[in-house]
């Protein structure tokens, strides 16, 4: 079995190099000013050039309007878009059609009855799904990157048609278990490989990638 590994929230050349040297398949640049991992477009463009074609470059946005999104795509030239807000299925479909790029749609999983029910409505409009833990109910959390997890053991039973990435609370010490028990197509990490908010740790990145690969190999 193979597993896709995505390192998200990269904001410096050193972080990009650490992810690439570790063998990450996908790297994410967050353009969302509220996030501690936010990168301005000129910085994101420079980091994107540094990556080249060594990994899939993902531009992460949250409920961005068309004009702003078009400017971001033109500057960063990503290989894929990640929509991490409240984008409805018709909005996801419209963005996919307008930009002609693969779209990853993040779906927040928490304690609400409708969380799981919403998944099927995105299967025909997104190229990849990403399951992340919902932020705190009091509104104190960010759309993603909060370092919290959810009960992902139910995911294999969904038999989804669309490939999916698992996120939320993953770290080097638990990513192997997540790969083996959740049966994810891929895993995504941001805060779980940081030494502080927005500050990636090269050693943790390397360990995360290695442990994910080892678990996938053990599954055959």
């Amino acid at each position: 079995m193979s597993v896709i590994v995505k390192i998200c929230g990269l904001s410096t050349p050193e972080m990009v190099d650490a992810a690439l040297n570790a063998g990450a398949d996908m790297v994410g640049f967050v353009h969302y000013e509220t996030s501690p991992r936010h990168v301005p477009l000129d910085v994101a463009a420079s980091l994107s050039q540094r990556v080249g074609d060594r990994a899939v470059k993902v531009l992460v946005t949250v409920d961005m309007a068309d004009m702003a999104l078009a400017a971001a795509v033109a500057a960063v030239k990503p290989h894929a878009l990640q929509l991490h807000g409240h984008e409805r299925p018709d909005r996801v479909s419209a963005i996919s059609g307008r930009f002609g790029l693969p779209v990853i749609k993040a779906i927040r999983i928490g304690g609400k009855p409708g969380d799981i029910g919403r998944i099927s409505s995105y299967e025909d409009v997104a190229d990849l799904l990403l399951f992340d833990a919902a932020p705190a109910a009091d509104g104190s959390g960010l759309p993603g990157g909060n370092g919290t997890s959810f009960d992902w053991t139910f995911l294999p039973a969904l038999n989804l048609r669309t490939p999916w990435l698992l996120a939320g609370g993953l770290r080097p010490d638990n990513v192997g278990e997540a790969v083996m028990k959740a049966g994810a197509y891929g895993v995504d990490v941001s805060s779980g490989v940081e030494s502080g908010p927005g500050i990636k740790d090269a050693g943790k990145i390397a360990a995360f990638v290695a442990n994910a690969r080892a678990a996938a190999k053990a599954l055959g």
Side-chain angles (χ1 to χ4, degrees):
M1 173 183 171
S2 61
V3 63
I4 298 296
V5 180
K6 177 171 172 281
I7 308 296
C8 200
L10 304 176
S11 58
T12 69
E14 293 77 15
M15 294 181 193
V16 167
D17 290 347
L20 295 176
N21 291 338
D25 302 290
M26 308 177 84
V27 294
F29 306 120
V30 177
H31 187 64
Y32 179 58
E33 292 185 0
T34 306
S35 172
R37 302 164 189 93
H38 166 72
V39 285
L41 290 183
D42 58 339
V43 175
S46 176
L47 296 176
S48 177
Q49 289 182 340
R50 191 176 188 89
V51 175
D53 291 322
R54 295 176 63 189
V56 175
K57 300 176 291 191
V58 181
L59 175 63
V60 182
T61 65
V62 177
D63 297 315
M64 186 175 280
D66 282 350
M67 290 185 63
L69 188 55
V73 168
V76 180
K77 297 178 174 59
H79 295 125
L81 296 173
Q82 180 174 319
L83 307 180
H84 216 100
H86 295 92
E87 299 90 356
R88 296 174 61 86
D90 57 346
R91 175 63 174 155
V92 175
S93 180
I95 289 173
S96 177
R98 173 168 181 171
F99 295 102
L101 292 170
V103 174
I104 304 168
K105 178 64 184 93
I107 299 175
R108 305 167 191 174
I109 307 295
K112 296 181 180 180
D115 289 347
I116 298 173
R118 292 188 304 115
I119 294 174
S120 61
S121 64
Y122 288 96
E123 282 205 83
D124 293 327
V125 296
D127 298 276
L128 274 173
L129 301 176
L130 185 150
F131 300 128
D132 198 359
D138 62 6
S140 60
L142 295 165
N146 295 302
T148 56
S149 60
F150 64 96
D151 180 11
W152 33 256
T153 56
F154 70 90
L155 291 173
L158 296 180
N159 294 317
L160 299 173
R161 302 186 305 275
T162 304
W164 52 274
L165 308 178
L166 179 64
L170 297 182
R171 308 177 304 273
D173 65 327
N174 69 4
V175 67
E177 178 185 9
V179 169
M180 297 188 78
K181 291 187 177 180
Y185 176 80
V187 288
D188 181 298
V189 68
S190 187
S191 62
V193 291
E194 292 180 345
S195 58
I199 304 172
K200 295 292 186 288
D201 181 289
K204 290 182 179 181
I205 289 175
F208 185 91
V209 176
N211 292 347
R213 300 266 188 253
K217 184 177 181 180
L219 287 174

